[in-house]
Amino acid sequence: MTQPGTMTAMSKEMQDCVEACMACHSMCEETMSSCMQMGGQSQMQIMRTLMDCSEMTRMCADMMMRRSPLSAEMCAMCAKACDMCAEACMSMPDDQQLMRCAESCRRCAEMCRAMAGASM
């Protein structure tokens, strides 16, 4: 039994989703740095999706941790941002950093989709 004003513990699924969001956030930040070093127009388009994904994953994790009533909607938006970022990263299949980022984005999108459908 919880006392009034206290939060219940996060479910294992929610904890895993928060971790996936933070891992994806970190990977997007690392990948942005890599893209800045390469330069070029194609990297600039990828950079936009990396920035969106980085911000969305961080915010999504924050909202889940504080049990925001908007968490489910945020998870759905985060999944969409991750899907878009993974697709953008896949446009350069020879770049190992971008492939690692795409994988992280896909994992995060999958977990966020599951959380968007769950009652939080």
Side-chain angles (χ1 to χ4, degrees):
M1 188 162 135
T2 60
Q3 296 180 3
T6 61
M7 289 190 278
T8 58
M10 271 197 284
S11 68
K12 172 79 168 105
E13 293 79 15
M14 191 180 286
Q15 288 174 6
D16 289 347
C17 190
V18 167
E19 289 173 13
C21 283
M22 294 310 296
C24 188
H25 168 72
S26 294
M27 181 59 72
C28 286
E29 290 290 322
E30 290 173 31
T31 305
M32 278 190 272
S33 179
S34 176
C35 284
M36 283 191 277
Q37 291 174 359
M38 286 186 268
Q41 188 60 33
S42 60
Q43 263 71 19
M44 292 310 295
Q45 291 174 338
I46 294 170
M47 287 286 288
R48 287 185 189 94
T49 62
L50 286 165
M51 286 188 266
D52 288 349
C53 190
S54 175
E55 288 299 315
M56 291 290 275
T57 52
R58 184 194 51 76
M59 188 184 311
C60 189
D62 289 349
M63 291 176 81
M64 282 188 284
M65 286 187 284
R66 68 175 172 257
R67 314 305 194 283
S68 170
L70 300 173
S71 291
E73 291 90 343
M74 187 66 200
C75 283
M77 294 251 327
C78 187
K80 184 174 182 176
C82 288
D83 284 338
M84 290 172 68
C85 191
E87 190 171 314
C89 289
M90 292 301 294
S91 70
M92 299 189 71
D94 294 334
D95 186 300
Q96 291 303 307
Q97 179 67 34
L98 288 169
M99 293 303 98
R100 285 191 298 274
C101 189
E103 183 179 321
S104 182
C105 288
R106 280 195 205 102
R107 180 174 187 273
C108 187
E110 182 180 313
M111 297 190 90
C112 281
R113 261 190 294 282
M115 289 309 299
S119 58
M120 295 194 194

